[in-house]
Amino acid sequence: MNKQLETLIEITRRAGKIMLEASVGAGDISSKEGHANFVTVYDVAVQKFLKKELAAFMPDAAFYGEEGEKVEVGKGYTFIVDPIDGTTNFICGYQMSAVSVGLVLDGEAVMGVVYNPFREELYYAQKDEGAFLNGKPLKVAERGLKDGVVCFGTSPYNAEYTDRTFKAMRTLLPLSMDLRRQGSAALDISYIAANRNVCFFECILSPWDYAAAGCILKEAGGVLMTMEGEAADFNKKTSILAGTKTAVEEFLKLGL
């Protein structure tokens, strides 16, 4: 592991400590645009911490976080950050939330760290250097839909995608071992790298939801694209389909 990745992991771990020490009360929660789209004072605190620490680490890199203004992802380095992916889980004490930090160079994710401090699970990867969970190498086992669990997101902030989501769920249920809704896209995608599920889809996501985890999955041998089979664009919201190569091919043939 090179020094840059070591530093990125150390910063992410320290951000996770803020989550562990949190005690969420009603006065700590506010709403953003869209149904059940919550933000807590801890989302803001973690992002503020990450922005400061990452700027000191790589001062020439741009910073694109969920709780802030949009940044154009183009030439050079950009950190794409979700301070707490799975905020509703965090509020409700599900302990299925993560700090997600991706480093993008010229539009391509070259490092990713996804950390669930509640389970002490640290996923990380660097381009061409492999993916790891708590230091153990990750390698996707090539399986199809029938051989594993399919995870999904419900796009709760965008009701216009509800029918498409539930149609896909109804179609996939008999074709897979089972379905799971876990509430954190970053963890769902990382779980594919760890062979806990074979596929994940959501009809609309933002770049911070998948930038880091997508790097981890690709380095483990999986694939990530849109539900239409196109490359994901870090400069806009898009559908996301991730999984083993076989499961993704099977999903695309269903025309969901």
Side-chain angles (χ1 to χ4, degrees):
M1 185 191 306
N2 71 21
K3 186 63 177 179
Q4 277 192 325
L5 183 55
E6 285 183 0
T7 302
L8 192 59
I9 287 171
E10 187 267 337
I11 292 170
T12 306
R13 280 192 178 278
R14 289 165 59 202
K17 188 177 180 181
I18 299 173
M19 295 169 61
L20 286 177
E21 295 174 347
S23 179
V24 184
D28 299 324
I29 305 167
S30 56
S31 295
K32 298 188 290 185
E33 184 179 356
H35 169 70
N37 191 2
F38 302 113
V39 61
T40 72
V41 295
Y42 299 103
D43 293 80
V44 176
V46 172
Q47 178 156 312
K48 183 178 180 181
F49 168 83
L50 288 170
K51 187 172 185 178
K52 177 183 176 182
E53 294 296 319
L54 294 173
F57 166 43
M58 292 183 64
D60 293 332
F63 183 92
Y64 184 16
E66 179 176 8
E67 312 305 332
E69 296 181 1
K70 186 182 186 305
V71 171
E72 191 73 17
V73 181
K75 291 292 184 181
Y77 284 104
T78 304
F79 286 108
I80 302 182
V81 171
D82 195 334
I84 302 179
D85 185 55
T87 297
T88 300
N89 285 351
F90 177 67
I91 292 169
C92 296
Y94 267 61
Q95 299 192 344
M96 187 67 178
S97 305
V99 182
S100 176
V101 181
L103 179 62
V104 173
L105 174 62
D106 298 339
E108 180 184 13
V110 294
M111 285 188 194
V113 181
V114 174
Y115 178 45
N116 180 351
F118 302 106
R119 294 190 61 168
E120 190 53 40
E121 290 191 340
L122 180 79
Y123 299 85
Y124 59 92
Q126 182 176 357
K127 183 183 176 184
D128 299 329
E129 298 294 334
F132 301 84
L133 168 57
N134 292 346
K136 296 181 179 179
L138 296 175
K139 179 64 177 176
V140 169
E142 198 53 57
R143 299 172 292 159
L145 294 172
K146 69 179 179 61
D147 300 314
V149 168
V150 173
C151 289
F152 63 95
T154 54
S155 305
Y157 320 143
N158 302 91
E160 64 270 27
Y161 295 104
T162 299
D163 289 345
R164 184 184 182 187
T165 300
F166 278 79
K167 178 184 177 183
M169 290 163 54
R170 180 66 185 86
T171 301
L172 290 163
L173 180 60
L175 300 178
S176 63
M177 289 179 70
D178 206 347
L179 305 180
R180 295 286 185 274
R181 160 65 165 151
Q182 301 187 118
S184 167
L187 288 173
D188 282 335
I189 296 168
S190 298
Y191 274 27
I192 301 168
N195 293 308
R196 294 176 181 174
N197 55 295
V198 295
C199 188
F200 165 80
F201 74 92
E202 188 155 3
C203 291
I204 188 77
L205 284 174
S206 296
W208 51 75
D209 295 310
Y210 64 87
C215 179
I216 293 163
L217 177 58
K218 289 178 181 178
E219 283 299 308
V223 294
L224 182 143
M225 61 189 69
T226 71
M227 290 170 64
E228 294 71 39
E230 300 171 351
D233 184 343
F234 290 131
N235 280 305
K236 63 181 182 181
K237 292 184 177 182
T238 185
S239 64
I240 289 293
L241 170 63
T244 69
K245 294 176 183 178
T246 301
V248 165
E249 288 173 359
E250 292 173 345
F251 184 104
L252 291 173
K253 288 177 181 177
L254 295 170
L256 300 172

